[in-house]
Amino acid sequence: GLNLSAEVLKHQSTVEKYAKEYRISDYVNYLLAIMQVESGGMLEDVMQSSESMGLPPNSLDAESSIRQGCRYFAELLAKADRLGCDLDSAIQAYNYGGGFLDYAAARGGRYSFQLAQAFAEEKSGGVRVPYENEISVAENGGWRYNYGNMFYVRLVSQYLYAAHFDDAAVQAIMNEALKYQGWAYVYGGASPASSFDCSGLTQWCFGTVGITLPRTAQAQYDAAQHIPFEDAKPGDLVFFKGTYDTPGVSHCGIYVGNGMMIHCGSPISYANLNTSYWQEHLYCYGRLP
């Protein structure tokens, strides 16, 4: 994970203002991450949102850019909600345009890198261009299709969690979990061979650093030291009740800081713990002794 730059952070209060106006205050982290990817805070049109208004690129000043970026993202979130698409699909649509949500909805509504790649392949007629960064080189040797950026969700995700973990074990756990971003939820899954369920993912990721967790969310809760919400640190487990009809703890994830977790939802993804759904079900944080 990477830190937001000072240039981006200086716009945070403006982002908060317009996120509130468009009723998407829960998504300030995402808007700042989008800004980081779009401009690093270095361009006048900081959210590169002029094109979503039908204007030529870079024709908005910073405040207008943020206002339009927030408005546009709010529209995409509302459309994703209507169509039954997930949050990552809305993030990718910030780059591809709202048509990606129709495309995703027709294919189950769940973002995956493969889905983003297929859309760009179709739109570009299969034309590839060189594109080199850490993510693309690891994925395919350094190219993308010549339509939007099929790596957009991964680029944005780099800025969504506490950037650098001082603890090497926590860093390794996070790096492992991120390998599976976009993978499907599989009930009973506990390894990359099958994909994962919620406690299968936490058990596997902690196992890579030599920490043995029991197999179910309830058993992991029982094994952990329970800590107050305000003391939670990146690398702690986070437990939920009532996410489906089962007594006791029904779901778990790994806290990554900034009010975010990574968990095996459907698919494996980041989630914002401040949204009403997770707040309603949030039960406890746990630290391994």
Side-chain angles (χ1 to χ4, degrees), residues 33-50:
I34 285 170
M35 184 191 294
Q36 184 75 51
V37 171
E38 291 290 343
S39 72
M42 306 298 274
L43 302 170
E44 186 76 16
D45 182 359
V46 281
M47 291 194 72
Q48 292 290 290
S49 56
S50 54

Side-chain angles (χ1 to χ4, degrees), residues 184-257:
Y185 176 96
V186 173
Y187 184 78
S191 81
S194 56
S195 198
F196 300 93
D197 61 18
C198 68
S199 53
L201 180 69
T202 52
Q203 183 189 52
W204 176 268
C205 294
F206 280 82
T208 59
V209 297
I211 297 170
T212 308
L213 283 180
R215 179 60 190 90
T216 66
Q218 178 67 53
Q220 291 179 12
Y221 168 80
D222 294 339
Q225 170 197 346
H226 306 146
I227 50 179
F229 288 6
E230 61 274 15
D231 294 345
K233 292 206 301 255
D236 287 336
L237 290 166
V238 53
F239 298 104
F240 303 89
K241 280 193 163 178
T243 54
Y244 61 95
D245 190 16
T246 179
V249 173
S250 62
H251 188 66
C252 61
I254 306 170
Y255 185 59
V256 294

